[in-house]
Amino acid sequence: MTENEKEVHFQEKIDLEMKIEPKDWMPEGYKDHLARQISQHAHSEVIGMQPEGNWLLRAPTLRAKAVLMAKIQDEAGHGLYLYAAGETLGVSRNEFIHQLHEGKAKYSSIFNYPTLTWADMGAVGWLVDGAAIVNQVSLQRTSYGPYARAMVRICIEESFHQRQGYEIISTMALGSPEQKQMAQDALNRMWFPSLMMFGPHDSDSPNTGNAMKWKIKRDSNDALRQKFIDKTIQQAEVIGLSIPDPNLKWNEEKGHYDHSPIDWDEFWNVVKGNGPCNKQRVTHHKKAHDEGLWVREAAIAYAEKQRTKEAQTV
Ligand code: FAQ
């Protein structure tokens, strides 16, 4: 088959909703696009452990601490599934991490905001995991098999994460006036950054065209953001919190809520590395990575030893 025929056959498979698997032929552009998105997704899961790790030693009860610990460990697992999915594209995990440290690979803007109070643990689970689920449920139907399968498993765990966050925020919202104020303050600070997780407007999203053609993305940034807004407003109402947007209004004609414009200057500033915590997050990741070198070396040495042993017994 010529390259052109291979490309036609590839697109036919995509159009027929068939999954592309690691050994299948794929255009370089598809491979690069996936490696970029999967790695930035993996980095988000891992960097996302930091804002929550900040509260682990200050959780108000033993139960809250155990639940938060389990949740943070799940995020590490999500990073692992995603790095493994990314490695099937021929890029090593080391290379992905190198790109993160060099600032060539991105991670979600939301994790560059500080978590100032315990209520933020509620807001992260409720809003950040809630937004992540909306995005990831859609990605369960992505065209690349290893990414789609990772998403199925991740979504099951994310729904537990969203519930743990909602439990924290609702307990505080229905608690004393001071607790309710903390919950409202967390919502005020996290609302717009959560909407930014879905990326720029479709008209300013350079990757969407190919992503939709190749069915890597199944819904656009704006469509997913709107879905998240529509479902989250009711959740806020149930616990008596107000979404910090005076222009939220049900639009009968569209069947969706209208909302205020998003501050895209703030978004790009954070994406470019100038958010409140960007430097802290990457510095911490580098330090942890360096300090873990001996663990990686020990694991490699052990695997080598086992291989030699097995070779000798054959
Ligand atoms: N932050 O052309 P588009 C989680 C970049 S997991 C930073 O629209 P695309 C779990 C984008 O990369 C959360 N950068 O790009 C958890 C591109 O730059 P590039 C992570 C962003 O890929 C919870 C440029 O802007 N989820 O939270 C952002 O078509 C709690 C132009 O944008 C995923 O990663 C942003 N928000 O659409 C963990 C889902 N938005 O790469 C711990 C998978 C855009 O060309 C605690 N990813 N950019 O240099 C996706 O679905 C997509 O990649 C989008 C962006 C929707 C994020």
Side-chain angles (χ1 to χ4, degrees):
M1 262 202 254
T2 63
E3 289 297 294
N4 198 24
E5 286 165 342
K6 283 184 195 162
E7 193 138 1
V8 170
H9 178 61
F10 168 84
Q11 191 60 46
E12 278 169 0
K13 278 172 76 178
I14 301 261
D15 294 342
L16 287 167
E17 296 289 328
M18 289 166 73
K19 293 284 178 236
I20 305 299
E21 297 297 338
K23 288 190 176 146
D24 295 344
W25 184 90
M26 58 188 96
E28 283 305 309
Y30 177 82
K31 198 184 270 188
D32 293 347
H33 191 120
L34 269 174
R36 175 193 63 83
Q37 178 167 325
I38 296 176
S39 72
Q40 74 107 40
H41 197 162
H43 299 324
S44 303
E45 300 282 356
V46 172
I47 296 279
M49 294 161 74
Q50 292 185 39
E52 291 180 311
N54 183 34
W55 279 91
L56 208 44
L57 299 181
R58 292 178 283 170
T61 65
L62 184 57
R63 177 181 178 274
K65 181 172 177 164
V67 173
L68 185 62
M69 172 89 91
K71 194 246 189 228
I72 296 172
Q73 284 177 342
D74 280 355
E75 306 299 358
H78 296 177
L80 188 63
Y81 311 153
L82 285 161
Y83 284 125
E87 283 190 310
T88 64
L89 296 161
V91 185
S92 71
R93 186 161 155 186
N94 263 346
E95 177 55 26
F96 283 137
I97 289 174
H98 181 69
Q99 289 170 359
L100 171 70
H101 290 173
E102 293 292 295
K104 284 191 195 132
K106 298 186 166 70
Y107 58 88
S108 185
S109 48
I110 188 73
F111 301 119
N112 293 308
Y113 292 85
T115 43
L116 303 178
T117 71
W118 175 251
D120 288 14
M121 295 301 94
V124 168
W126 173 36
L127 302 175
V128 178
D129 286 278
I133 293 174
V134 169
N135 172 282
Q136 292 172 154
V137 163
S138 171
L139 285 172
Q140 287 178 336
R141 294 187 300 118
T142 190
S143 57
Y144 190 55
Y147 193 22
R149 289 188 287 275
M151 283 300 106
V152 171
R153 192 160 167 182
I154 289 176
C155 280
I156 295 168
E157 293 173 353
E158 294 287 21
S159 63
F160 151 71
H161 298 169
Q162 196 269 354
R163 282 175 204 191
Q164 70 88 35
Y166 195 61
E167 183 188 85
I168 294 172
I169 206 90
S170 52
T171 303
M172 295 191 73
L174 302 169
S176 67
E178 290 81 5
Q179 286 171 325
K180 181 169 183 184
Q181 181 47 41
M182 281 169 77
Q184 183 63 53
D185 172 60
L187 171 57
N188 292 350
R189 285 181 287 106
M190 297 267 182
W191 176 250
F192 279 102
S194 300
L195 302 189
M196 293 173 192
M197 287 176 70
F198 295 93
H201 280 316
D202 298 348
S203 51
D204 297 320
S205 164
N207 296 302
T208 290
N210 277 339
M212 297 301 262
K213 178 178 86 173
W214 288 326
K215 298 192 177 175
I216 292 174
K217 269 167 46 171
R218 305 307 308 259
D219 297 283
S220 75
N221 298 359
D222 285 329
L224 291 173
R225 183 172 15 250
Q226 189 67 55
K227 200 175 206 175
F228 172 72
I229 293 171
D230 291 348
K231 72 185 235 180
T232 310
I233 289 172
Q234 287 173 344
Q235 295 168 1
E237 277 169 9
V238 169
I239 54 175
L241 295 183
S242 323
I243 303 278
D245 181 350
N247 297 313
L248 272 186
K249 200 166 173 277
W250 179 251
N251 184 323
E252 198 64 56
E253 206 176 303
K254 290 191 198 152
H256 293 296
Y257 280 92
D258 288 333
H259 59 88
S260 294
I262 292 169
D263 184 348
W264 294 112
D265 288 343
E266 175 182 329
F267 170 76
W268 288 116
N269 194 43
V270 175
V271 170
K272 285 181 186 146
N274 304 316
C277 300
N278 295 60
K279 288 180 186 65
Q280 181 188 332
R281 300 293 186 235
V282 175
T283 304
H284 182 85
H285 190 280
K286 279 184 186 156
K287 183 168 175 282
H289 189 68
D290 290 347
E291 287 172 1
L293 178 63
W294 72 271
V295 180
R296 296 192 295 280
E297 285 179 347
I300 292 166
Y302 181 73
E304 197 53 51
K305 203 165 135 189
Q306 290 299 105
R307 253 196 303 276
T308 313
K309 229 188 216 170
E310 274 163 29
Q312 281 166 354
T313 53
V314 173

